[in-house]
Amino acid sequence: MPTWLALPEPVHHALLVLAPLLPLLLALLGAHAASARWLVRTAPLATLPAWLLVFAGPAERAWPDLLLGLVLGIDLPRSAWLVLTLLLWTCATWFGVTYMAHDEHRRRYQFFLLGAMSGNIGLILARDPITFFSFFALMSLMSYGLVIHDGRPGSLRAGRVYLGMALLGEMLQFAALGLLFFEPAAAAMSGSGLTIDQLANRDLSASTIGLLLAGFGVKAGLLGLHMWLPMAHPVAPTPASAVLSGSMIKAGLIGWMTFLPLGSAAYPNLGASVAVLGVTGALMAALAGLLQTHPKAVLAYSSVSQMGLMISAVGLGLIDPATGKLTLWIVLLYALHHGIAKCLLFLSVGLRTVRPMRGFETTLFWSGTIFAAIALIGAPFTSGAVAKSHLKYLVKDSVWIGAPTLGLFLTAAAAGTTILMFRYLATLRRLQPDPHHTAPARILLPWLVLLLATLAATPAAAGWWAKRGGLPPAPMLDALTLLLPLLAGAVLYALITRALRLDTRTEPVIPPGDLVAWLHHAWARIQPTRPAAASVAPPAPPSFSAHPALARLARLEGTLSRWATGLAAIALAVLLFAAMAWWTGS
Amino acid sequence: MIPDTLVPLAVLLTSFITGIAILLLGEDRVRLRTVLNLAGAVLKLALVMLMLWGVFHGHAYQTRIPFLPGMDLVLRADGMTILFASLSAVLWLLTTVYAIGYLEGAPHRRRFFAYFSFCVTATMGVSLAGNLVTFFLFYEVLTLTTFPLVVHRGTEKSMKAGAVYLAYTLGGSALVLVGMLWLYTIAGPFDFTETGVLGDLFAQHRIALTVIFFLLMLGFGVKAAVFPFHAWLPAAMVAPAPVSALLHAVAVVKAGAFGMVRVVYDVYGISLCDEEALLPAFMVLAAITILYGSLRALAQDDFKKRLAFSTVSQVSYILLGIAMFGPMGTIGGLVHLVHQGIMKITMFFCAGNVAETLHLHKISELKGVGRRLPLTMGAFTVAALGMIGVPPLAGFVSKWHLGLGAIESGHPWILAVLAASSLLNAAYFLPILRTVWFDQPDTPWPAPEGGCRLEASWWLLVPPLATALLTILVGLLGGSVLSPIHWAYLVVGREY
């Protein structure tokens, strides 16, 4: 990691703390009404210390008095994650300054957005497990406020599912991190002061790996744990959706990269299941996404699909240590490509609703959006082509017996992405602009920055990381291989759209959140029917607190206190006393 | 400077004399009473801090008073004492401040504050007790002095709750008394000793000492609200908010939990308990209580009642930590003694503020209260997140060590209990936070009385804000010498 900006050591270390802390401080300041107005405008500047950190070279510092031994640091791979994260956060919050300017609750939005930003930056810099876990939790909890921002019933339901699954993920991570401390060869008995390097990246037991995979898999949208994602991402305000789907979703991957022993040990069975889960998720999400009617829901499923590809790459890395070393960099490259393109596509949805466009602007908007879409598909000469070539290289390089099949499925998933992007463009075209909003032209600036990044960032990073980091020199796939999924996807899209009459539907065939939504319907069906409420109040959401089992517990409790348990205890005591007297007497 | 032998006694006297003086003063001497209360609390805090410094540097503080032939009353400060005593001293000061604000203009304040002081005297006695007799004596005084506080309002409901409280706690005390006397017939007089005093005796009196162990633990378990002896705690909710705060955070439930700590570590010795397999039953009991309390909390709409069932659940974390054999579990249990106190007292202060300023008692009425009481609800939010175990707050530090303890002692199923409990905590605390911050109130809130610029008076605001800050700090400064977790490490180093 080169140093472009030489800083005195104390300043450098202060920046390590300030990078995650400044957004959090601004979030808290914003809760105070008087300072809220100028804070809403300056939110993108909260990323400034973290940006400086990117250019200031490697650093690490421990503060043993803080937390259970706080260690923060930055090295080359982390600075790469940080660049991706900061780029998206800066553009999305910048976009939000204009986009959310007339929102009734923009102070609240600002609070949760900055809080989540703090968590996202902090977890990249964390070098000890407790700090990582803390920032991860901060990000997850703050995002809840973004998901339920508009307060509609659908958002509240999405928020409940999101929070439930996020907390489940936290619990699994908690157990996994606990087990890490007791892995063989763990350092001496001490609950604190151990860095991630001392704990992880060693030969871990399968149960620890499993818990790590599931715990961070919730955030990464691992198949079976992904249901919250298509529910929560679309309902958040658009700038928040963009960072949720572009950046925060990657925190799960960062967790895996941080704790899994990629490149130092082999886990053939676990790795194979992860690879299969990943690619299955990629295909199924493509199908489910096709059946959506809102462009943001289509994009959310596309995120699940794209994450599936990255997850299967992690699976390959677990199978074989030789591949594992490459996995980190290839996944990083893919995440960069996907994050930027996805963020831009989300902002396009926002632009479409608040910015009435005509003439050159319309041309620019559609060509930019379509370019990002075909980049995501992986057409030749786009960032997708670079990322996909590296992914294919990883598959070819793998010793796993299933790798060739996986390669085929990856191509199928690319066709799935094509279908999704067509669907996205179709739904975006049908989206009606919001007549109440006419955003000024400056709202286009962050979008343009992202467009430039879509063009240049991934190829530039690939060249650079190949030279400085550990990215393998993957040969570019030929145009035919890249175009095949595009053509196949286009044909399939035309056929399916015709068959299912998708053009005329206003309700999604599969509700966002698939499994959870179905479970919800099933649950509603087996519930005893309640008498219809007389008022027009919306039906109460199914709640734990009204469950009959809890009422039964309450009755038991009543019995307990009626029995005057205390008196019974005294009687027991007297009996025991008699027994004791007899005992000691004899 | 006070000689080391008198410091423990002085700690007791600061609040005892305050109580007597308040009784002697007239009901209407408000200002002098306030000064006395605060002076007593500050003085006690200073003395406890002195002891803390001393114990850290290896001083021995001990007061020994002849009581019965062969039985002395012993007051002394060891590591565990400091943990409990500094918690009590800090929280007593804050609760006194809060109670002065809360009861402003209410009748019978003389009686209230006098018993309040006696109650804290007893709590301090429990923490300083150097042997089982002394412990039991103060433990009983605590029961008797909290009764007038529980029934303070004098309504029929509160009298009933007081009766339930007495029935349960006296029943529990009876068990402890039997166990204690029986133990003395076998082991003779003894002081609390690190790593235990029984040693070889256990092999000779295996059955008797096993029965005694269960008598003592279940007896103390009544006050610690262990299932199925917990029903008095939610009933005692009728007490005024400062009393509930003290009952739940420091005085009564903690005295029970502290009793169990003393029995396991300083009477039987943790190694003996482990060898003789005395602990697994209590681990299961703690797990049941943790889940049961959480499930019951889910169904409560009454604000204070939900908090009460949450206490039932949370106090058993301490028992869980005690019942696990291994330093990490012990650390988790001991530190939760402090952490649970800080967090739960914040919540009761906040519930009290809501009741006092807006006269709301039900969770379903709290829509949008955050806008009217932002500081109060901010403090509540911190405490609730801490209870759920969000890192790096106080509750997380406890749960983290309990989790490590579970793995260390070879009971990974405890991890599942901790996870389930955390999810349940989230399920009953997070809806409160959502309704408070996100929902719109049905009707606009009345303006603060008397044109007050703040949401409530300073007396009512400072205590919850201070404890909320502590909830953050004990986690944030977890690695520093001043943190409770550091003390727990120190204490546990002497027990294993």
Side-chain angles (χ1 to χ4, degrees):
Chain A
M1 182 180 176
T3 308
W4 283 291
L5 179 71
L7 291 174
E9 198 167 64
V11 178
H12 203 173
H13 289 162
L15 275 183
L16 276 179
V17 181
L18 206 58
L21 205 60
L22 185 68
L24 193 61
L25 286 178
L26 290 181
L28 295 175
L29 259 181
H32 181 59
S35 43
R37 203 164 338 124
W38 60 267
L39 269 176
V40 169
R41 289 174 187 281
T42 53
L45 295 179
T47 53
L48 208 59
W51 274 116
L52 286 177
L53 212 50
V54 169
F55 300 105
E60 183 163 316
R61 168 81 205 267
W63 290 267
D65 278 358
L66 296 180
L67 292 171
L68 299 172
L70 167 71
V71 189
L72 295 174
I74 186 165
D75 52 15
L76 183 58
R78 278 184 184 73
S79 75
W81 284 115
L82 199 57
V83 168
L84 162 65
T85 307
L86 291 178
L87 184 64
L88 305 194
W89 274 100
T90 314
C91 291
T93 43
W94 186 10
F95 185 85
V97 170
T98 321
Y99 183 83
M100 300 295 286
H102 301 290
D103 193 279
E104 193 188 347
H105 299 297
R106 64 181 177 285
R107 258 174 69 200
R108 195 169 72 188
Y109 153 84
Q110 204 70 23
F111 173 80
F112 288 111
L113 194 74
L114 285 168
M117 183 200 284
S118 165
N120 201 350
I121 295 174
L123 71 90
I124 294 174
L125 298 175
R127 305 297 292 119
D128 73 281
I130 303 291
T131 308
F132 184 91
F133 191 48
S134 302
F135 280 119
F136 202 97
L138 178 68
M139 187 186 80
S140 290
L141 287 178
M142 287 290 190
S143 318
Y144 173 73
L146 298 172
V147 172
I148 65 163
H149 180 79
D150 64 15
R152 297 201 187 116
S155 313
L156 292 178
R157 195 173 62 231
R160 264 201 303 278
V161 173
Y162 166 69
L163 200 58
M165 296 196 68
L167 288 172
L168 182 72
E170 297 279 321
M171 293 305 124
L172 295 172
Q173 289 168 29
F174 178 91
L177 295 188
L179 285 174
L180 269 183
F181 278 81
F182 291 94
E183 285 291 339
M189 260 309 310
S190 161
S192 55
L194 292 175
T195 62
I196 289 170
D197 294 334
Q198 286 164 305
L199 280 173
N201 299 317
R202 289 177 289 114
D203 200 351
L204 304 178
S205 69
S207 52
T208 311
I209 302 269
L211 284 169
L212 283 171
L213 285 172
F216 292 114
V218 173
K219 188 62 80 188
L222 185 66
L223 183 69
L225 300 168
H226 69 283
M227 290 83 79
W228 64 273
L229 211 149
M231 296 178 84
H233 284 191
V235 294
T238 300
S241 308
V243 276
L244 272 168
S245 229
S247 175
M248 288 194 248
I249 195 173
K250 308 289 191 311
L253 282 180
I254 297 177
W256 285 349
M257 297 296 159
T258 308
F259 290 101
L260 291 179
L262 290 170
S264 54
Y267 301 90
N269 295 335
L270 276 169
S273 3
V274 171
V276 170
L277 269 181
V279 81
T280 318
L283 286 170
M284 287 178 64
L287 275 180
L290 172 66
L291 306 177
Q292 302 303 312
T293 50
H294 195 279
K296 280 167 84 175
V298 180
L299 286 181
Y301 269 109
S302 155
S303 290
V304 178
S305 174
Q306 294 286 309
M307 289 303 288
L309 301 182
M310 291 178 245
I311 288 169
S312 58
V314 173
L316 289 182
L318 276 175
I319 293 174
D320 173 22
T323 325
K325 286 200 178 65
L326 311 176
T327 309
L328 170 74
W329 289 96
I330 288 173
V331 168
L332 187 46
L333 190 73
Y334 205 99
L336 181 74
H337 142 73
H338 167 250
I340 296 171
K342 189 51 64 68
C343 190
L344 181 127
L345 292 176
F346 265 108
L347 294 194
S348 288
V349 180
L351 277 182
R352 176 90 178 140
T353 42
V354 298
R355 173 83 186 152
M357 284 175 279
R358 62 170 71 87
F360 171 68
E361 224 180 295
T362 318
T363 320
L364 179 70
F365 172 77
W366 281 110
S367 42
T369 307
I370 292 171
F371 178 75
I374 63 166
L376 208 58
I377 298 168
F381 309 113
T382 61
S383 64
V386 180
K388 204 150 280 179
S389 303
H390 282 86
L391 201 59
K392 275 276 158 75
Y393 175 84
L394 190 70
V395 176
K396 281 223 179 72
D397 197 50
S398 173
V399 294
W400 183 42
I401 192 163
T405 325
L406 187 72
L408 282 180
F409 277 107
L410 287 184
T411 311
T417 307
T418 311
I419 296 176
L420 280 183
M421 286 302 109
F422 274 106
R423 181 67 184 154
Y424 162 73
L425 292 170
T427 47
L428 182 66
R429 199 166 61 86
R430 269 168 38 193
L431 196 66
Q432 293 303 317
D434 185 344
H436 304 295
H437 289 288
T438 43
R442 65 166 181 273
I443 199 172
L444 284 165
L445 281 175
W447 185 84
L448 283 170
V449 171
L450 280 174
L451 186 58
L452 287 180
T454 312
L455 281 165
T458 311
W464 208 71
W465 292 341
K467 212 159 48 179
R468 296 279 191 148
L471 194 69
M476 185 67 84
L477 293 174
D478 58 279
L480 191 66
T481 321
L482 288 168
L483 281 175
L484 188 68
L486 185 64
L487 296 175
V491 173
L492 270 174
Y493 176 74
L495 290 176
I496 299 178
T497 311
R498 186 76 50 83
L500 294 177
R501 294 203 184 83
L502 284 178
D503 285 336
T504 52
R505 281 179 193 268
T506 51
E507 285 297 309
V509 181
I510 291 180
D514 46 83
L515 277 176
V516 166
W518 287 327
L519 280 177
H520 195 262
H521 285 304
W523 176 251
R525 212 165 302 155
I526 58 166
Q527 285 289 296
T529 43
R530 299 209 185 92
S535 66
V536 288
S543 121
F544 295 118
S545 26
H547 202 272
L550 286 179
R552 233 167 283 144
L553 271 186
R555 278 201 296 280
L556 173 75
E557 175 105 15
T559 326
L560 266 179
S561 40
R562 260 202 311 280
W563 275 0
T565 318
L567 293 177
I570 294 178
L572 181 70
V574 171
L575 273 177
L576 280 167
F577 198 79
M580 182 190 79
W582 170 76
W583 190 311
T584 45
S586 61
Chain B
M1 211 59 206
I2 323 169
D4 282 357
T5 48
L6 287 184
V7 174
L9 196 62
V11 170
L12 290 192
L13 290 180
T14 43
S15 44
F16 186 67
I17 294 174
T18 311
I20 298 285
I22 287 171
L23 269 189
L24 294 177
L25 279 179
E27 174 74 35
D28 51 349
R29 302 291 298 276
V30 178
R31 186 160 303 181
L32 186 56
R33 187 166 58 222
T34 303
V35 170
L36 266 178
N37 264 324
L38 292 180
V42 170
L43 190 61
K44 180 195 294 296
L45 185 59
L47 284 171
V48 170
M49 289 303 127
L50 173 78
M51 287 202 305
L52 188 150
W53 178 86
V55 170
F56 190 70
H57 289 94
H59 276 248
Y61 296 98
Q62 180 158 322
T63 310
R64 188 174 283 271
I65 307 161
F67 176 50
L68 295 172
M71 259 187 211
D72 294 344
L73 288 186
V74 179
L75 296 171
R76 59 142 206 231
D78 56 14
M80 288 202 189
T81 303
I82 295 297
L83 215 52
F84 192 26
S86 28
L87 172 79
S88 315
V90 171
L91 296 192
W92 186 45
L93 175 59
L94 291 171
T95 314
T96 307
V97 171
Y98 187 81
I100 291 167
Y102 190 85
L103 294 173
E104 201 181 335
H108 307 305
R109 271 179 292 169
R110 182 177 66 145
R111 183 182 77 194
F112 179 88
F113 280 109
Y115 278 108
F116 199 65
S117 298
F118 295 145
C119 172
V120 173
T121 312
T123 310
M124 278 294 166
V126 164
S127 74
L128 285 163
N131 60 24
L132 208 48
V133 180
T134 319
F135 190 99
F136 185 72
L137 188 76
F138 285 109
Y139 188 80
E140 280 308 282
V141 172
L142 182 63
T143 309
L144 299 177
T145 50
T146 38
F147 177 74
L149 296 177
V150 171
V151 301
H152 181 72
R153 293 238 167 84
T155 58
E156 195 188 334
K157 200 176 162 201
S158 63
M159 294 311 273
K160 221 167 163 182
V164 171
Y165 170 67
L166 270 194
Y168 270 84
T169 48
L170 288 180
S173 300
L175 293 183
V176 174
L177 183 66
V178 173
M180 182 178 77
L181 292 178
W182 195 353
L183 187 60
Y184 272 98
T185 62
I186 293 173
F190 62 87
D191 286 354
F192 290 143
T193 313
E194 277 147 11
T195 69
V197 289
L198 291 182
D200 299 337
L201 274 176
F202 198 91
Q204 300 163 27
H205 305 271
R206 186 176 303 272
I207 297 173
L209 286 174
T210 306
V211 175
I212 293 170
F213 184 79
F214 276 83
L215 281 177
L216 291 175
M217 290 293 276
L218 289 177
F220 286 128
V222 173
K223 262 204 182 124
V226 171
F227 180 86
F229 309 122
H230 63 282
W232 65 270
L233 188 61
M237 287 322 312
V238 291
V243 176
S244 307
L246 211 61
L247 233 64
H248 282 257
V250 197
V252 179
V253 291
K254 287 300 165 58
F258 197 60
M260 298 203 238
V261 169
R262 286 293 196 197
V263 169
V264 170
Y265 292 101
D266 292 346
V267 176
Y268 279 68
I270 182 74
S271 306
L272 181 71
C273 292
D274 181 58
E275 281 158 25
E276 302 297 334
L278 297 173
L279 296 171
F282 289 95
M283 203 186 305
V284 174
L285 196 61
I288 291 173
T289 313
I290 288 171
L291 295 178
Y292 179 84
S294 296
L295 279 174
R296 294 283 288 125
L298 262 184
Q300 310 300 322
D301 189 34
D302 187 300
F303 198 3
K304 280 175 84 181
K305 232 175 184 165
R306 186 172 290 193
L307 297 186
F309 275 107
S310 152
T311 305
V312 171
S313 165
Q314 292 275 340
V315 170
S316 272
Y317 278 51
I318 304 170
L319 177 59
L320 187 68
I322 299 169
M324 284 190 282
F325 178 73
M328 281 298 151
T330 310
I331 289 169
L334 285 181
V335 84
H336 202 57
L337 196 85
V338 178
H339 287 172
Q340 189 268 352
I342 300 170
M343 294 185 287
K344 196 35 83 57
I345 208 165
T346 313
M347 299 184 132
F348 275 103
F349 286 154
C350 295
N353 280 1
V354 172
E356 184 71 3
T357 51
L358 300 174
H359 310 288
L360 301 177
H361 303 278
K362 286 197 160 44
I363 289 159
S364 48
E365 301 166 343
L366 296 182
K367 287 179 184 163
V369 167
R371 248 160 281 193
R372 171 69 178 79
L373 302 171
L375 292 176
T376 304
M377 278 305 148
F380 184 85
T381 304
V382 170
L385 293 178
M387 279 287 183
I388 295 167
V390 174
L393 303 174
F396 167 74
V397 178
S398 315
K399 281 187 192 177
W400 174 243
H401 285 88
L402 286 173
L404 290 182
I407 306 167
E408 182 186 51
S409 63
H411 297 96
W413 60 274
I414 294 283
L415 279 179
V417 173
L418 288 175
S421 155
S422 296
L423 288 179
L424 286 170
N425 291 347
Y428 63 77
F429 278 137
L430 290 182
I432 304 182
L433 301 189
R434 208 207 64 226
T435 190
V436 158
W437 293 112
F438 286 93
D439 287 350
Q440 298 286 342
D442 295 334
T443 50
W445 302 114
E449 283 163 33
C452 182
R453 234 166 50 84
L454 280 166
E455 58 192 62
S457 82
W458 274 113
W459 295 100
L460 296 181
L461 272 182
V462 169
L465 290 177
T467 46
L469 189 67
L470 278 178
T471 305
I472 300 173
L473 285 183
V474 293
L476 213 53
L477 301 176
S480 76
V481 187
L482 290 172
S483 67
I485 187 72
H486 190 90
W487 264 97
Y489 272 93
L490 208 73
V491 171
V492 168
R494 296 173 183 174
E495 294 286 354
Y496 280 87

